[in-house]
Amino acid sequence: MHRLQRLRLDHAPALLKFERENRAYFAASISDRGDDYFTHFDARHRALLAEQDAGTCFFHLVVDDDGSVLGRVNLVDAADGSAELGYRIAERAAGQGLATASVREACALAVAEYGLTTLTAVTTLDNTGSRTVLARTGFTPTTPLQLDGRPGLRFVRDLRLGR
């Protein structure tokens, strides 16, 4: 059973392990975080917690019963009732509905806990899994864009409509 937990300082070791174990898997469909991310992970983790404390971002981990991290679901750049959704699920947990369930839970938190009314998200056209998760969770494609030189789409979800 998975749980969505708000990011905490003590999550750092499990989160770093998750990012290292899934680096190649993620890099196949989204931009690689780069070596600097891993070299300065602790400072980056503390910076994320500071952003969360300031109320500009809301970071979540999808945690398994044994404490291992199965994914991340983040709401970033929160302002004027809106934020951008980002998520990634471990390779070993992909294709099991975990992303869809976790995004749904994050959408509910966005309304109930963070007072948000709109979420946006972006993905590349060739990331079928991500586009499927966004469609299943009530996001609508709006505008084409380029992500790292690849064609993509921006999606939006009005959280006031429910779903």
Side-chain angles (χ1 to χ4, degrees):
M1 183 66 163
H2 80 278
R3 296 176 314 281
L4 197 65
Q5 296 180 355
R6 193 147 172 195
L7 185 65
R8 303 184 314 253
L9 186 60
D10 66 324
H11 283 133
L15 178 56
L16 180 57
K17 181 179 179 187
F18 162 82
E19 291 290 352
R20 282 187 174 144
E21 288 177 349
N22 292 282
R23 184 176 183 182
Y25 173 67
F26 295 144
S29 60
I30 56 177
S31 294
D32 183 57
R33 292 192 185 277
D35 293 338
D36 193 57
Y37 173 85
F38 296 95
T39 301
H40 302 289
F41 179 83
D42 288 336
R44 171 87 174 121
H45 189 71
R46 286 189 303 277
L48 294 178
L49 291 170
E51 288 180 75
Q52 185 167 263
D53 289 345
T56 58
C57 297
F58 308 100
F59 303 105
H60 306 88
L61 298 184
V62 183
V63 180
D64 205 355
D65 288 335
D66 65 3
S68 63
V69 176
L70 298 174
R72 302 178 78 159
V73 182
N74 301 322
L75 304 171
V76 300
D77 299 332
D80 301 322
S82 182
E84 184 167 330
L85 169 77
Y87 55 92
R88 50 178 56 197
I89 299 296
E91 183 175 19
R92 69 183 176 99
Q96 301 173 28
L98 186 60
T100 299
S102 299
V103 167
R104 281 187 180 130
E105 191 172 345
C107 288
L109 284 172
V111 174
E113 298 291 324
Y114 312 133
L116 300 174
T117 57
T118 306
L119 294 179
T120 61
V122 297
T123 190
T124 55
L125 294 180
D126 61 354
N127 192 337
T128 306
S130 187
R131 287 189 299 117
T132 300
V133 167
L134 292 171
R136 286 181 179 160
T137 56
F139 285 79
T140 304
T142 59
T143 53
L145 50 78
Q146 292 287 310
L147 290 170
D148 297 321
R150 296 164 48 199
L153 283 171
R154 178 172 308 282
F155 290 76
V156 67
R157 176 165 175 202
D158 185 336
L159 297 169
R160 296 169 293 194
L161 300 178
R163 290 189 208 198

